[in-house]
Amino acid sequence: MAKIIDILNKIGITCNSFEVQDLDNAGSSEWDEVESPIETPFEDPKLATGRCSVGREFDPLTESLFRYFIDGSRKTYRVADLEHGGRYFPLIAAQVGVAVCKRDRHASGGCGLVPVSGKTEVINTLILPSLVGESDISEIRSVVADKARVKFEIITYNMKQDKSPLDLAAAAAMQRMHDMEVSAACELAKSGALSNDVMLVIDGSLMFRNQKFDIIDFRNVIGIAKRFKPDFTVGDKRKVDVGSVVRRLSYGERTMVFKRSFRNSNIGSWFLRIRPPEKVQGSLGGVVKLELFALGEAEKENGFDPDRVNVISRHVLSERNVTPYGVDDRWATHLYPVYLTETYLKNQFMSHVAFKGLF
């Protein structure tokens, strides 16, 4: 079977060799998610001081609300440069995947995590600008499917005058990853696996920008983000940057829930400190961002019940140990089941050397 660069050259797509570059470690933007404005307080009754203690961690024998965990991941590379129709642009390739794991007390260790059968998917992609033309892209898709050593999905993006092709290609890989995450979450919800006492954790924000899904399928889904932009504003009257609000939280404290508009729905978003500030680096270390969709007329109109928010927050707080300290520099905000799900997924990817060898 032929290498991708040789395949493209043989069908008339000039493909210039390029030292394969790992884009995920090449100074890409620190923030993958685009933050939307945080608006008014969104819980009823409202917190008088804007923050509160959620209480202590649950007893270790208390069963967690969080039984399922979804993680999406990608490895993105610049593998060559293409010339086509007088244009010169990078050829980007990526491995994109999603995994779903389930908490299982009968697994090894007494309270283990196991992959959900049939819910792990990894695809290989070639990412090209749409200016290549539909006929040439169709030929690339056909020939690569016939000649390449492994299957590749062809993804396209539209060139923009004020955007780098590298950034646009990386965003296309991210969007494909989000497609897979949303599909996995919706399938799990439709299967009847989730309930008020059996929740799904998605690693990151719930504000999927370009994916179509029924909000009802996310009734028992929570987004838990390890990082967030500290310089966007919160509040409807006296606006301050979220970093100024969050850094004052003590261990086990949360902010009020804020409303965030998303399509025709609202999301409740709040911040919780899961590690004592003196035990972490930086004033924002050990703080996670949590998101829930508002569902039901009362919740949509008035916001979330503080008792429900506190119970959920206590379950998050109870996940603070075990930690991946020493093996992941995000340990202070990385919930261990999410870390294990991410590790399992990345172990399904081809190695850097093997993937690069395809080109």
PDB file of all heavy atoms in Angstrom, residues 1-16:
ATOM      1  N   MET A   1       0.849  -1.193   0.000  1.00  0.00           N
ATOM      2  CA  MET A   1       0.000   0.000   0.000  1.00  0.00           C
ATOM      3  C   MET A   1       0.883   1.241   0.000  1.00  0.00           C
ATOM      4  O   MET A   1       1.963   1.263   0.598  1.00  0.00           O
ATOM      5  CB  MET A   1      -0.935   0.007   1.208  1.00  0.00           C
ATOM      6  CG  MET A   1      -1.789  -1.260   1.331  1.00  0.00           C
ATOM      7  SD  MET A   1      -2.864  -1.518  -0.086  1.00  0.00           S
ATOM      8  CE  MET A   1      -4.259  -0.500   0.379  1.00  0.00           C
ATOM      9  N   ALA A   2       0.419   2.318  -0.653  1.00  0.00           N
ATOM     10  CA  ALA A   2       1.255   3.498  -0.864  1.00  0.00           C
ATOM     11  C   ALA A   2       1.133   4.505   0.276  1.00  0.00           C
ATOM     12  O   ALA A   2       0.164   4.505   1.041  1.00  0.00           O
ATOM     13  CB  ALA A   2       0.858   4.163  -2.185  1.00  0.00           C
ATOM     14  N   LYS A   3       2.141   5.387   0.363  1.00  0.00           N
ATOM     15  CA  LYS A   3       2.082   6.488   1.315  1.00  0.00           C
ATOM     16  C   LYS A   3       1.203   7.601   0.753  1.00  0.00           C
ATOM     17  O   LYS A   3       1.056   7.752  -0.463  1.00  0.00           O
ATOM     18  CB  LYS A   3       3.491   7.007   1.608  1.00  0.00           C
ATOM     19  CG  LYS A   3       4.352   6.028   2.393  1.00  0.00           C
ATOM     20  CD  LYS A   3       5.634   6.697   2.869  1.00  0.00           C
ATOM     21  CE  LYS A   3       6.411   5.766   3.791  1.00  0.00           C
ATOM     22  NZ  LYS A   3       7.605   6.431   4.363  1.00  0.00           N
ATOM     23  N   ILE A   4       0.633   8.406   1.644  1.00  0.00           N
ATOM     24  CA  ILE A   4      -0.323   9.439   1.241  1.00  0.00           C
ATOM     25  C   ILE A   4       0.315  10.447   0.282  1.00  0.00           C
ATOM     26  O   ILE A   4      -0.288  10.831  -0.727  1.00  0.00           O
ATOM     27  CB  ILE A   4      -0.885  10.163   2.479  1.00  0.00           C
ATOM     28  CG1 ILE A   4      -1.669   9.183   3.369  1.00  0.00           C
ATOM     29  CG2 ILE A   4      -1.775  11.334   2.064  1.00  0.00           C
ATOM     30  CD1 ILE A   4      -2.880   8.574   2.723  1.00  0.00           C
ATOM     31  N   ILE A   5       1.527  10.888   0.577  1.00  0.00           N
ATOM     32  CA  ILE A   5       2.180  11.881  -0.291  1.00  0.00           C
ATOM     33  C   ILE A   5       2.354  11.324  -1.700  1.00  0.00           C
ATOM     34  O   ILE A   5       2.104  12.029  -2.694  1.00  0.00           O
ATOM     35  CB  ILE A   5       3.528  12.302   0.316  1.00  0.00           C
ATOM     36  CG1 ILE A   5       3.298  13.159   1.569  1.00  0.00           C
ATOM     37  CG2 ILE A   5       4.368  13.077  -0.695  1.00  0.00           C
ATOM     38  CD1 ILE A   5       4.559  13.564   2.286  1.00  0.00           C
ATOM     39  N   ASP A   6       2.759  10.072  -1.826  1.00  0.00           N
ATOM     40  CA  ASP A   6       2.929   9.462  -3.145  1.00  0.00           C
ATOM     41  C   ASP A   6       1.590   9.339  -3.872  1.00  0.00           C
ATOM     42  O   ASP A   6       1.501   9.569  -5.084  1.00  0.00           O
ATOM     43  CB  ASP A   6       3.568   8.077  -2.999  1.00  0.00           C
ATOM     44  CG  ASP A   6       4.977   8.141  -2.448  1.00  0.00           C
ATOM     45  OD1 ASP A   6       5.638   9.190  -2.644  1.00  0.00           O
ATOM     46  OD2 ASP A   6       5.415   7.165  -1.802  1.00  0.00           O
ATOM     47  N   ILE A   7       0.539   9.001  -3.121  1.00  0.00           N
ATOM     48  CA  ILE A   7      -0.786   8.886  -3.724  1.00  0.00           C
ATOM     49  C   ILE A   7      -1.229  10.220  -4.317  1.00  0.00           C
ATOM     50  O   ILE A   7      -1.708  10.290  -5.459  1.00  0.00           O
ATOM     51  CB  ILE A   7      -1.809   8.408  -2.670  1.00  0.00           C
ATOM     52  CG1 ILE A   7      -1.532   6.966  -2.260  1.00  0.00           C
ATOM     53  CG2 ILE A   7      -3.235   8.551  -3.197  1.00  0.00           C
ATOM     54  CD1 ILE A   7      -2.367   6.493  -1.085  1.00  0.00           C
ATOM     55  N   LEU A   8      -1.056  11.303  -3.559  1.00  0.00           N
ATOM     56  CA  LEU A   8      -1.502  12.615  -4.027  1.00  0.00           C
ATOM     57  C   LEU A   8      -0.687  13.077  -5.229  1.00  0.00           C
ATOM     58  O   LEU A   8      -1.235  13.639  -6.191  1.00  0.00           O
ATOM     59  CB  LEU A   8      -1.408  13.630  -2.888  1.00  0.00           C
ATOM     60  CG  LEU A   8      -2.329  13.373  -1.686  1.00  0.00           C
ATOM     61  CD1 LEU A   8      -2.138  14.447  -0.625  1.00  0.00           C
ATOM     62  CD2 LEU A   8      -3.790  13.314  -2.109  1.00  0.00           C
ATOM     63  N   ASN A   9       0.620  12.855  -5.208  1.00  0.00           N
ATOM     64  CA  ASN A   9       1.448  13.254  -6.347  1.00  0.00           C
ATOM     65  C   ASN A   9       1.060  12.513  -7.618  1.00  0.00           C
ATOM     66  O   ASN A   9       1.050  13.088  -8.719  1.00  0.00           O
ATOM     67  CB  ASN A   9       2.931  13.017  -6.033  1.00  0.00           C
ATOM     68  CG  ASN A   9       3.531  14.132  -5.182  1.00  0.00           C
ATOM     69  OD1 ASN A   9       3.197  15.303  -5.352  1.00  0.00           O
ATOM     70  ND2 ASN A   9       4.411  13.773  -4.258  1.00  0.00           N
ATOM     71  N   LYS A  10       0.693  11.256  -7.495  1.00  0.00           N
ATOM     72  CA  LYS A  10       0.354  10.452  -8.669  1.00  0.00           C
ATOM     73  C   LYS A  10      -0.954  10.885  -9.321  1.00  0.00           C
ATOM     74  O   LYS A  10      -1.170  10.638 -10.508  1.00  0.00           O
ATOM     75  CB  LYS A  10       0.293   8.976  -8.288  1.00  0.00           C
ATOM     76  CG  LYS A  10       1.680   8.360  -8.104  1.00  0.00           C
ATOM     77  CD  LYS A  10       1.583   6.876  -7.774  1.00  0.00           C
ATOM     78  CE  LYS A  10       2.978   6.285  -7.606  1.00  0.00           C
ATOM     79  NZ  LYS A  10       2.938   4.841  -7.260  1.00  0.00           N
ATOM     80  N   ILE A  11      -1.837  11.509  -8.553  1.00  0.00           N
ATOM     81  CA  ILE A  11      -3.102  11.954  -9.167  1.00  0.00           C
ATOM     82  C   ILE A  11      -3.049  13.451  -9.516  1.00  0.00           C
ATOM     83  O   ILE A  11      -4.074  14.065  -9.806  1.00  0.00           O
ATOM     84  CB  ILE A  11      -4.305  11.667  -8.251  1.00  0.00           C
ATOM     85  CG1 ILE A  11      -4.209  12.443  -6.926  1.00  0.00           C
ATOM     86  CG2 ILE A  11      -4.432  10.183  -7.993  1.00  0.00           C
ATOM     87  CD1 ILE A  11      -5.448  12.302  -6.056  1.00  0.00           C
ATOM     88  N   GLY A  12      -1.837  14.033  -9.476  1.00  0.00           N
ATOM     89  CA  GLY A  12      -1.672  15.406  -9.947  1.00  0.00           C
ATOM     90  C   GLY A  12      -1.822  16.481  -8.898  1.00  0.00           C
ATOM     91  O   GLY A  12      -1.861  17.668  -9.235  1.00  0.00           O
ATOM     92  N   ILE A  13      -1.898  16.100  -7.620  1.00  0.00           N
ATOM     93  CA  ILE A  13      -1.930  17.082  -6.537  1.00  0.00           C
ATOM     94  C   ILE A  13      -0.498  17.237  -6.037  1.00  0.00           C
ATOM     95  O   ILE A  13       0.047  16.327  -5.409  1.00  0.00           O
ATOM     96  CB  ILE A  13      -2.845  16.632  -5.377  1.00  0.00           C
ATOM     97  CG1 ILE A  13      -4.253  16.296  -5.878  1.00  0.00           C
ATOM     98  CG2 ILE A  13      -2.881  17.689  -4.279  1.00  0.00           C
ATOM     99  CD1 ILE A  13      -5.028  17.472  -6.393  1.00  0.00           C
ATOM    100  N   THR A  14       0.139  18.353  -6.378  1.00  0.00           N
ATOM    101  CA  THR A  14       1.544  18.533  -6.019  1.00  0.00           C
ATOM    102  C   THR A  14       1.694  18.579  -4.509  1.00  0.00           C
ATOM    103  O   THR A  14       1.154  19.457  -3.838  1.00  0.00           O
ATOM    104  CB  THR A  14       2.102  19.828  -6.630  1.00  0.00           C
ATOM    105  OG1 THR A  14       1.924  19.784  -8.054  1.00  0.00           O
ATOM    106  CG2 THR A  14       3.584  19.975  -6.305  1.00  0.00           C
ATOM    107  N   CYS A  15       2.447  17.621  -4.002  1.00  0.00           N
ATOM    108  CA  CYS A  15       2.582  17.451  -2.565  1.00  0.00           C
ATOM    109  C   CYS A  15       4.052  17.555  -2.185  1.00  0.00           C
ATOM    110  O   CYS A  15       4.858  16.695  -2.548  1.00  0.00           O
ATOM    111  CB  CYS A  15       2.017  16.090  -2.176  1.00  0.00           C
ATOM    112  SG  CYS A  15       1.705  15.882  -0.424  1.00  0.00           S
ATOM    113  N   ASN A  16       4.418  18.639  -1.534  1.00  0.00           N
ATOM    114  CA  ASN A  16       5.807  18.885  -1.157  1.00  0.00           C
ATOM    115  C   ASN A  16       6.065  18.356   0.246  1.00  0.00           C
ATOM    116  O   ASN A  16       5.308  18.639   1.182  1.00  0.00           O
ATOM    117  CB  ASN A  16       6.107  20.383  -1.201  1.00  0.00           C
ATOM    118  CG  ASN A  16       5.872  20.967  -2.581  1.00  0.00           C
ATOM    119  OD1 ASN A  16       6.392  20.460  -3.567  1.00  0.00           O
ATOM    120  ND2 ASN A  16       5.058  22.016  -2.662  1.00  0.00           N
TER     121      ASN A  16
END
